[in-house]
Tab-separated table of all heavy atoms in Angstrom:
chain	number	residue	atom	x	y	z
B	232	PRO	N	89.125	35.263	-51.465
B	232	PRO	CA	89.367	34.069	-52.286
B	232	PRO	C	89.353	32.768	-51.486
B	232	PRO	O	89.045	31.720	-52.052
B	232	PRO	CB	90.747	34.334	-52.903
B	232	PRO	CG	91.344	35.439	-52.101
B	232	PRO	CD	90.224	36.237	-51.542
B	233	THR	N	89.685	32.812	-50.210
B	233	THR	CA	89.746	31.570	-49.439
B	233	THR	C	88.624	31.521	-48.417
B	233	THR	O	88.655	32.240	-47.420
B	233	THR	CB	91.093	31.470	-48.683
B	233	THR	OG1	92.066	32.155	-49.433
B	233	THR	CG2	91.474	30.050	-48.428
B	234	ILE	N	87.653	30.684	-48.687
B	234	ILE	CA	86.586	30.452	-47.718
B	234	ILE	C	86.440	28.943	-47.569
B	234	ILE	O	86.359	28.224	-48.560
B	234	ILE	CB	85.234	31.036	-48.181
B	234	ILE	CG1	85.378	32.517	-48.540
B	234	ILE	CG2	84.184	30.860	-47.104
B	234	ILE	CD1	84.109	33.104	-49.129
B	235	VAL	N	86.425	28.465	-46.342
B	235	VAL	CA	86.250	27.037	-46.097
B	235	VAL	C	85.093	26.864	-45.129
B	235	VAL	O	85.017	27.570	-44.124
B	235	VAL	CB	87.523	26.422	-45.458
B	235	VAL	CG1	87.401	24.918	-45.410
B	235	VAL	CG2	88.755	26.839	-46.215
B	236	GLN	N	84.216	25.930	-45.457
B	236	GLN	CA	83.159	25.667	-44.488
B	236	GLN	C	83.704	24.802	-43.365
B	236	GLN	O	84.362	23.792	-43.611
B	236	GLN	CB	81.972	24.978	-45.149
B	236	GLN	CG	80.828	24.833	-44.156
B	236	GLN	CD	79.560	24.304	-44.772
B	236	GLN	OE1	79.545	23.231	-45.349
B	236	GLN	NE2	78.485	25.055	-44.656
B	237	LYS	N	83.439	25.230	-42.138
B	237	LYS	CA	83.885	24.451	-40.989
B	237	LYS	C	82.748	23.625	-40.406
B	237	LYS	O	82.976	22.608	-39.766
B	237	LYS	CB	84.453	25.381	-39.910
B	237	LYS	CG	85.761	26.032	-40.307
B	237	LYS	CD	86.874	25.001	-40.347
B	237	LYS	CE	88.085	25.566	-41.069
B	237	LYS	NZ	89.160	24.599	-41.204
B	238	SER	N	81.532	24.109	-40.586
B	238	SER	CA	80.395	23.362	-40.058
B	238	SER	C	79.175	23.683	-40.892
B	238	SER	O	78.945	24.841	-41.234
B	238	SER	CB	80.148	23.748	-38.604
B	238	SER	OG	78.798	23.483	-38.273
B	239	GLN	N	78.408	22.653	-41.231
B	239	GLN	CA	77.173	22.911	-41.968
B	239	GLN	C	76.012	23.122	-41.013
B	239	GLN	O	74.882	23.314	-41.434
B	239	GLN	CB	76.873	21.776	-42.945
B	239	GLN	CG	76.700	20.433	-42.273
B	239	GLN	CD	76.588	19.300	-43.281
B	239	GLN	OE1	76.851	19.482	-44.451
B	239	GLN	NE2	76.203	18.127	-42.814
B	240	GLY	N	76.302	23.086	-39.723
B	240	GLY	CA	75.287	23.433	-38.740
B	240	GLY	C	74.659	22.244	-38.049
B	240	GLY	O	73.834	22.416	-37.156
B	241	PHE	N	75.006	21.029	-38.432
B	241	PHE	CA	74.447	19.846	-37.784
B	241	PHE	C	75.348	18.674	-38.107
B	241	PHE	O	76.088	18.702	-39.092
B	241	PHE	CB	73.025	19.575	-38.262
B	241	PHE	CG	72.905	19.521	-39.758
B	241	PHE	CD1	72.916	18.299	-40.430
B	241	PHE	CD2	72.791	20.683	-40.493
B	241	PHE	CE1	72.828	18.262	-41.818
B	241	PHE	CE2	72.704	20.647	-41.875
B	241	PHE	CZ	72.720	19.436	-42.534
B	242	MET	N	75.276	17.650	-37.266
B	242	MET	CA	76.156	16.492	-37.471
B	242	MET	C	75.400	15.277	-37.966
B	242	MET	O	75.999	14.335	-38.474
B	242	MET	CB	76.903	16.179	-36.184
B	242	MET	CG	77.814	17.343	-35.801
B	242	MET	SD	78.543	17.155	-34.198
B	242	MET	CE	79.887	16.066	-34.566
B	243	GLY	N	74.080	15.280	-37.847
B	243	GLY	CA	73.294	14.153	-38.350
B	243	GLY	C	73.017	14.338	-39.834
B	243	GLY	O	73.600	15.182	-40.502
B	244	GLY	N	72.103	13.535	-40.346
B	244	GLY	CA	71.736	13.658	-41.748
B	244	GLY	C	70.637	14.684	-41.931
B	244	GLY	O	70.047	15.174	-40.971
B	245	SER	N	70.379	15.035	-43.172
B	245	SER	CA	69.252	15.906	-43.468
B	245	SER	C	68.858	15.667	-44.911
B	245	SER	O	69.606	15.062	-45.678
B	245	SER	CB	69.618	17.369	-43.275
B	245	SER	OG	70.296	17.846	-44.410
B	246	PHE	N	67.687	16.160	-45.252
B	246	PHE	CA	67.230	16.071	-46.634
B	246	PHE	C	68.271	16.656	-47.583
B	246	PHE	O	68.568	16.083	-48.634
B	246	PHE	CB	65.907	16.827	-46.751
B	246	PHE	CG	65.394	16.950	-48.160
B	246	PHE	CD1	64.907	15.847	-48.820
B	246	PHE	CD2	65.399	18.173	-48.806
B	246	PHE	CE1	64.434	15.957	-50.121
B	246	PHE	CE2	64.931	18.297	-50.098
B	246	PHE	CZ	64.451	17.182	-50.754
B	247	ASN	N	68.865	17.768	-47.186
B	247	ASN	CA	69.810	18.455	-48.078
B	247	ASN	C	71.086	17.665	-48.318
B	247	ASN	O	71.737	17.838	-49.330
B	247	ASN	CB	70.182	19.813	-47.495
B	247	ASN	CG	68.965	20.631	-47.202
B	247	ASN	OD1	68.264	20.358	-46.231
B	247	ASN	ND2	68.668	21.582	-48.038
B	248	THR	N	71.483	16.831	-47.363
B	248	THR	CA	72.698	16.052	-47.581
B	248	THR	C	72.391	14.758	-48.329
B	248	THR	O	73.296	14.124	-48.844
B	248	THR	CB	73.385	15.710	-46.247
B	248	THR	OG1	72.442	15.061	-45.398
B	248	THR	CG2	73.893	16.955	-45.558
B	249	ARG	N	71.114	14.356	-48.386
B	249	ARG	CA	70.774	13.121	-49.103
B	249	ARG	C	70.351	13.380	-50.543
B	249	ARG	O	70.794	12.701	-51.469
B	249	ARG	CB	69.637	12.390	-48.376
B	249	ARG	CG	70.068	11.660	-47.135
B	249	ARG	CD	68.927	10.807	-46.608
B	249	ARG	NE	67.799	11.633	-46.208
B	249	ARG	CZ	67.645	12.127	-44.988
B	249	ARG	NH1	68.536	11.879	-44.052
B	249	ARG	NH2	66.604	12.881	-44.678
B	250	GLU	N	69.472	14.364	-50.728
B	250	GLU	CA	68.815	14.535	-52.025
B	250	GLU	C	69.756	15.055	-53.112
B	250	GLU	O	69.538	14.794	-54.290
B	250	GLU	CB	67.628	15.496	-51.858
B	250	GLU	CG	66.825	15.777	-53.117
B	250	GLU	CD	65.906	14.620	-53.500
B	250	GLU	OE1	65.914	13.602	-52.790
B	250	GLU	OE2	65.207	14.744	-54.518
B	251	PHE	N	70.806	15.761	-52.711
B	251	PHE	CA	71.585	16.487	-53.710
B	251	PHE	C	72.990	15.931	-53.930
B	251	PHE	O	73.778	16.518	-54.647
B	251	PHE	CB	71.644	17.967	-53.342
B	251	PHE	CG	70.283	18.607	-53.266
B	251	PHE	CD1	69.590	18.682	-52.071
B	251	PHE	CD2	69.670	19.091	-54.411
B	251	PHE	CE1	68.333	19.249	-52.009
B	251	PHE	CE2	68.408	19.654	-54.361
B	251	PHE	CZ	67.741	19.735	-53.150
B	252	PHE	N	73.309	14.818	-53.285
B	252	PHE	CA	74.626	14.207	-53.462
B	252	PHE	C	74.421	12.765	-53.911
B	252	PHE	O	73.591	12.058	-53.342
B	252	PHE	CB	75.399	14.240	-52.145
B	252	PHE	CG	75.748	15.623	-51.662
B	252	PHE	CD1	74.876	16.332	-50.855
B	252	PHE	CD2	76.946	16.225	-52.032
B	252	PHE	CE1	75.185	17.608	-50.413
B	252	PHE	CE2	77.265	17.492	-51.595
B	252	PHE	CZ	76.388	18.194	-50.774
B	253	HIS	N	75.197	12.316	-54.903
B	253	HIS	CA	75.021	10.919	-55.317
B	253	HIS	C	75.815	9.976	-54.436
B	253	HIS	O	75.519	8.786	-54.377
B	253	HIS	CB	75.371	10.740	-56.795
B	253	HIS	CG	76.747	11.224	-57.159
B	253	HIS	ND1	77.869	10.532	-56.824
B	253	HIS	CD2	77.150	12.344	-57.808
B	253	HIS	CE1	78.940	11.202	-57.252
B	253	HIS	NE2	78.528	12.312	-57.863
B	254	GLY	N	76.823	10.503	-53.721
B	254	GLY	CA	77.510	9.693	-52.733
B	254	GLY	C	78.395	8.589	-53.301
B	254	GLY	O	78.784	7.669	-52.590
B	255	MET	N	78.698	8.653	-54.591
B	255	MET	CA	79.541	7.624	-55.209
B	255	MET	C	80.900	8.239	-55.544
B	255	MET	O	81.029	9.457	-55.656
B	255	MET	CB	78.908	7.100	-56.496
B	255	MET	CG	77.618	6.379	-56.257
B	255	MET	SD	77.926	4.841	-55.395
B	255	MET	CE	76.272	4.286	-55.075
B	256	SER	N	81.866	7.380	-55.781
B	256	SER	CA	83.203	7.897	-56.082
B	256	SER	C	83.251	8.427	-57.509
B	256	SER	O	82.434	8.052	-58.358
B	256	SER	CB	84.224	6.790	-55.908
B	256	SER	OG	84.007	5.814	-56.892
B	257	GLU	N	84.208	9.307	-57.754
B	257	GLU	CA	84.469	9.815	-59.098
B	257	GLU	C	84.592	8.662	-60.096
B	257	GLU	O	84.027	8.668	-61.179
B	257	GLU	CB	85.806	10.563	-59.082
B	257	GLU	CG	85.730	12.086	-59.172
B	257	GLU	CD	84.636	12.596	-60.071
B	257	GLU	OE1	84.810	12.515	-61.302
B	257	GLU	OE2	83.591	13.061	-59.570
B	258	MET	N	85.364	7.674	-59.637
B	258	MET	CA	85.653	6.489	-60.438
B	258	MET	C	84.369	5.792	-60.883
B	258	MET	O	84.192	5.445	-62.052
B	258	MET	CB	86.487	5.559	-59.538
B	258	MET	CG	86.970	4.319	-60.184
B	258	MET	SD	88.122	4.743	-61.498
B	258	MET	CE	88.153	3.174	-62.296
B	259	PHE	N	83.436	5.627	-59.912
B	259	PHE	CA	82.187	4.948	-60.208
B	259	PHE	C	81.398	5.736	-61.257
B	259	PHE	O	80.920	5.168	-62.238
B	259	PHE	CB	81.364	4.801	-58.927
B	259	PHE	CG	80.077	4.063	-59.116
B	259	PHE	CD1	80.048	2.688	-59.066
B	259	PHE	CD2	78.889	4.755	-59.349
B	259	PHE	CE1	78.862	2.005	-59.259
B	259	PHE	CE2	77.699	4.081	-59.542
B	259	PHE	CZ	77.689	2.696	-59.489
B	260	VAL	N	81.316	7.049	-61.059
B	260	VAL	CA	80.557	7.888	-61.991
B	260	VAL	C	81.158	7.787	-63.384
B	260	VAL	O	80.447	7.659	-64.380
B	260	VAL	CB	80.533	9.350	-61.497
B	260	VAL	CG1	79.794	10.236	-62.488
B	260	VAL	CG2	79.882	9.447	-60.132
B	261	ARG	N	82.497	7.824	-63.435
B	261	ARG	CA	83.131	7.753	-64.743
B	261	ARG	C	82.884	6.393	-65.412
B	261	ARG	O	82.662	6.322	-66.614
B	261	ARG	CB	84.629	8.043	-64.625
B	261	ARG	CG	85.084	9.008	-65.709
B	261	ARG	CD	86.528	9.468	-65.538
B	261	ARG	NE	86.859	9.853	-64.178
B	261	ARG	CZ	87.968	9.462	-63.538
B	261	ARG	NH1	88.826	8.670	-64.139
B	261	ARG	NH2	88.213	9.869	-62.312
B	262	SER	N	82.900	5.324	-64.613
B	262	SER	CA	82.623	4.017	-65.226
B	262	SER	C	81.202	3.958	-65.771
B	262	SER	O	80.984	3.388	-66.843
B	262	SER	CB	82.792	2.872	-64.227
B	262	SER	OG	83.625	3.219	-63.191
B	263	VAL	N	80.259	4.557	-65.040
B	263	VAL	CA	78.874	4.540	-65.539
B	263	VAL	C	78.800	5.235	-66.890
B	263	VAL	O	78.080	4.797	-67.792
B	263	VAL	CB	77.916	5.199	-64.521
B	263	VAL	CG1	76.523	5.342	-65.113
B	263	VAL	CG2	77.859	4.398	-63.239
Side-chain angles (χ1 to χ4, degrees):
Chain B
T233 330
I234 306 174
V235 189
Q236 185 173 58
K237 291 290 166 183
S238 156
Q239 60 188 12
F241 52 97
M242 297 172 81
S245 82
F246 174 71
N247 306 75
T248 55
R249 283 188 297 270
E250 180 76 359
F251 300 93
F252 295 89
H253 55 75
M255 295 291 174
S256 67
E257 253 323 285
M258 184 65 194
F259 182 85
V260 178
R261 225 173 314 134
S262 337
V263 173

